[in-house]
Amino acid sequence: MDFTAIGPRLQSVLGLFAFCGIAWALSERKSAFPWRQVAITLPLQIVLAAFFLRVPAARNSLDALNGLVAAVSAATQQGTEFLFGYVGSTDTPFAVTGENGGLLFVFAFQALPLLVVVSALSAVLWHWGILKLVIRGFALVLSRVLGTGGAVSLAASANVLLGQTEAPLLIRAYLASLTRAELFAVITCGYATVAGTVMVLYATILGTLRPDVLGHIIVASIIAVLGGLLLARIMVPPREGEEATTAAAGEGFEYEDTMDAFVTGATEGGKLWANIIIAILAFVALVGLLNIIMGAWLPDVNGAPLTLERMLGWLFAPLVWLAGIPAGEAMDAGELMGIKTAVNEVVAYIALVGSEPGTFDPRSELVMIYALCGFANVSSIGIVIGGLSALEPSRRRDVLDLAPKGIVAGTLATLGSGACVGLVY
């Protein structure tokens, strides 16, 4: 059969079922396949994608969010210019020409400081009850539609706006009593989504590709939550007779007042800023070192040196093809998924923007924006193990066992999000 002749939408349909099939092949109890949840979740994901891409009013709402990105970015730049001078600004006191023009943008001081500002604003919105209301509403929908327990629904919903270590804080009191399947669902949803603190950063990076990209990033996280819950249920099903854990919103996650929320949020954003800088520096250097070693010791393959990106590209090429990427673009898209898994999604998004013109068509670019939108990478394993073990030491053994497995489920969930968009584009 000539797979290159299959239409891109059919590829995406095959992908949605194939990702569930991969999860089932890795399941701890293959006889407990959640047919009902599959029948509800997959159509719901497709409907959500179609609503935001096909309905003019919904599509325009995504465009409107671009103004928010511009406002927050402009405000942040005032702070970076004050602190870092021209290094934190796009304007320089000297001419930058030739090949050095690419050095004009200093990522650590011009893009990443957005994390500090957005983290502070998010903390204030939580203190004012706005984020609580949104998260509680989404959790209620998940509980009613998918039948997930209150604790899991709350943590999963929080992952749309909070991070993979912040969201479990909302159910800290219930972590000890979560079933193994529920704990895996919480971990998977953390991998399958991104935090609200980095959404504006991603929108800034990807703004040259699509002006409405912030809205797509939010939609990607919503769709991925549904996919994460489904794939987690397939891979680690609940045992016979287990009761779902209930929970109330926001216990133990409060601020004294608005100023405390703002300062605490800014401080946490600063820690995240530093952690991302350190992670990017270390992992980019590690990948570079591995490529140097392989280039020196291993023979060329197809006329080019063997690199980690190429190897991961071969691994992920079939998976991104299933998400709806044309066969001719699958290797390049697979490399992006490899970068995201080995390093993180920030570096992968930068690589996507820096791709040679014509590498991807507009549909493929949007599919990859969704497929890359998640924290499922190697460094996140340590973050999840350290974070959840600190919150509830009694579950450390379970976390150590489930965290690596969650990377697979989280990656499949983001690829499924890309497939949904590829299907309705």
Side-chain angles (χ1 to χ4, degrees):
M1 180 177 182
D2 184 8
F3 287 100
T4 62
I6 295 179
R9 287 184 178 173
L10 180 56
Q11 286 176 229
S12 297
V13 173
L14 291 174
L16 288 172
F17 289 103
F19 300 145
C20 290
I22 294 171
W24 175 79
L26 300 172
S27 174
E28 293 185 352
R29 287 201 307 127
K30 294 183 174 59
S31 60
F33 190 82
W35 293 103
R36 176 183 175 276
Q37 195 166 346
V38 171
I40 295 173
T41 302
L42 294 186
L44 183 57
Q45 287 182 291
I46 295 168
V47 168
L48 282 172
F51 176 72
F52 284 102
L53 266 69
R54 294 277 187 167
V55 178
R59 192 168 59 246
N60 292 338
S61 70
L62 301 184
D63 294 335
L65 290 172
N66 189 51
L68 174 62
V69 175
V72 176
S73 298
T76 303
Q77 187 173 335
Q78 293 183 28
T80 57
E81 287 179 353
F82 177 79
L83 284 174
F84 308 123
Y86 70 86
V87 178
S89 171
T90 55
D91 298 324
T92 59
F94 48 81
V96 182
T97 59
E99 295 181 357
N100 291 326
L103 301 177
L104 179 62
F105 182 73
V106 184
F107 184 69
F109 297 120
Q110 293 178 21
L112 286 182
L114 276 170
L115 298 171
V116 179
V117 177
V118 174
S119 180
L121 295 176
S122 298
V124 171
L125 292 175
W126 175 267
H127 177 68
W128 288 352
I130 297 173
L131 289 187
K132 286 182 186 178
L133 185 63
V134 173
I135 291 171
R136 283 171 177 167
F138 192 34
L140 180 62
V141 171
L142 289 180
S143 296
R144 295 288 177 83
V145 175
L146 301 182
T148 53
V152 172
S153 296
L154 181 59
S157 302
N159 272 303
V160 176
L161 297 171
L162 302 178
Q164 57 190 340
T165 53
E166 294 89 351
L169 283 172
L170 303 185
I171 59 167
R172 182 173 187 172
Y174 306 92
L175 288 176
S177 59
L178 290 182
T179 67
R180 177 182 170 84
E182 288 178 323
L183 182 62
F184 185 64
V186 171
I187 292 172
T188 297
C189 287
Y191 286 140
T193 56
V194 295
T197 49
V198 297
M199 286 181 178
V200 177
L201 170 64
Y202 299 160
T204 303
I205 295 171
L206 299 166
T208 56
L209 297 181
R210 298 187 67 94
D212 59 349
V213 71
L214 177 59
H216 286 292
I217 291 170
I218 295 173
V219 175
S221 277
I222 294 173
I223 294 176
V225 163
L226 301 174
L229 289 172
L230 172 62
L231 293 165
R233 181 70 175 266
I234 295 174
M235 289 183 66
V236 183
R239 296 185 177 93
E240 293 285 344
E242 283 185 338
E243 294 286 336
T245 306
T246 60
E251 292 189 10
F253 190 41
E254 302 292 345
Y255 302 101
E256 293 183 4
D257 51 36
T258 300
M259 185 54 67
D260 177 52
F262 186 83
V263 173
T264 303
T267 302
E268 293 302 316
K271 293 177 182 178
L272 181 59
W273 175 49
N275 287 340
I276 289 179
I277 291 174
I278 293 168
I280 291 177
L281 173 61
F283 278 96
V284 170
L286 177 61
V287 171
L289 179 61
L290 291 174
N291 289 342
I292 291 171
I293 294 173
M294 287 190 290
W297 290 91
L298 299 177
D300 290 355
V301 177
N302 295 329
L306 191 63
T307 64
L308 182 61
E309 292 90 336
R310 291 185 68 196
M311 294 171 64
L312 290 172
W314 295 329
L315 173 66
F316 280 106
L319 296 177
V320 295
W321 181 88
L322 285 168
I325 299 295
E329 302 173 8
M331 271 301 300
D332 292 311
E335 287 190 12
L336 293 177
M337 286 299 300
I339 293 171
K340 181 245 184 180
T341 304
V343 187
N344 59 41
E345 70 288 345
V346 177
V347 178
Y349 276 143
I350 293 172
L352 174 61
V353 173
S355 300
E356 290 290 330
T359 302
F360 302 108
D361 62 29
R363 177 182 177 278
S364 296
E365 286 181 347
L366 188 59
V367 169
M368 291 309 300
I369 286 172
Y370 277 72
L372 296 171
C373 192
F375 284 148
N377 58 65
V378 174
S379 60
S380 286
I381 297 177
I383 294 172
V384 168
I385 292 174
L388 289 179
S389 297
L391 288 176
E392 184 49 61
S394 67
R395 303 306 301 268
R396 179 174 173 79
R397 183 65 262 169
D398 287 327
V399 173
L400 286 170
D401 182 34
L402 296 173
K405 185 180 296 187
I407 290 289
V408 177
T411 300
L412 292 174
T414 60
L415 285 167
S417 299
C420 290
V421 172
L423 178 59
V424 303
Y425 183 83

